[in-house]
Amino acid sequence: LELGGKSAHIVCGDADIDAAVESATMSTVLNKGEVCLAGSRLFLHQSIQDEFLAKFKTALEGVRQGDPLDMATQLGAQASKMQFDKVESYLRLATEEGAEVLTG
């Protein structure tokens, strides 16, 4: 299913939420999201949405950011100022269109 973009995570109501959060977190930050399998969409069953988002927020806030050459780093810097600005523009657009920023 295309589901509006690449790499959707579909989490059903009976899913192992902790495993789904871990998978979504790592696919989101892997190589700064600059890979074809980077998680770009979440489709959550309504019955687990609040629990999933709370755990996902906590997991993302715990991601170790830093020097990409350091093995302990889970999320390095954007490749360039141009890429950073592009990401920032998407965040601005999303909030202008009604998105709620949960962290960051």
Side-chain angles (χ1 to χ4, degrees):
L1 299 172
E2 180 64 19
L3 301 172
K6 64 178 181 62
S7 308
H9 288 270
I10 302 170
V11 186
C12 300
D14 62 348
D16 178 336
I17 294 177
D18 292 332
V21 165
E22 181 179 354
S23 174
T25 301
M26 293 318 299
S27 74
T28 299
V29 301
L30 177 67
N31 200 35
K32 303 179 307 292
E34 297 175 4
V35 292
C36 61
L37 59 83
S40 60
R41 307 278 189 273
L42 285 171
F43 290 90
L44 308 172
H45 190 274
Q46 189 174 10
S47 67
I48 55 99
Q49 178 178 326
D50 292 340
E51 180 182 0
F52 183 95
L53 290 177
K55 289 182 175 190
F56 189 49
K57 177 182 181 289
T58 298
L60 287 172
E61 289 171 344
V63 169
R64 291 182 306 276
Q65 299 180 49
D67 181 348
L69 298 177
D70 181 343
M71 293 302 290
T73 296
Q74 293 175 298
L75 180 63
Q78 290 297 313
S80 67
K81 173 80 164 98
M82 186 170 75
Q83 182 64 24
F84 176 84
D85 291 342
K86 186 174 190 176
V87 171
E88 287 285 309
S89 75
Y90 288 140
L91 289 171
R92 277 192 305 279
L93 178 62
T95 56
E96 288 169 6
E97 292 182 354
E100 177 185 358
V101 177
L102 300 179
T103 190

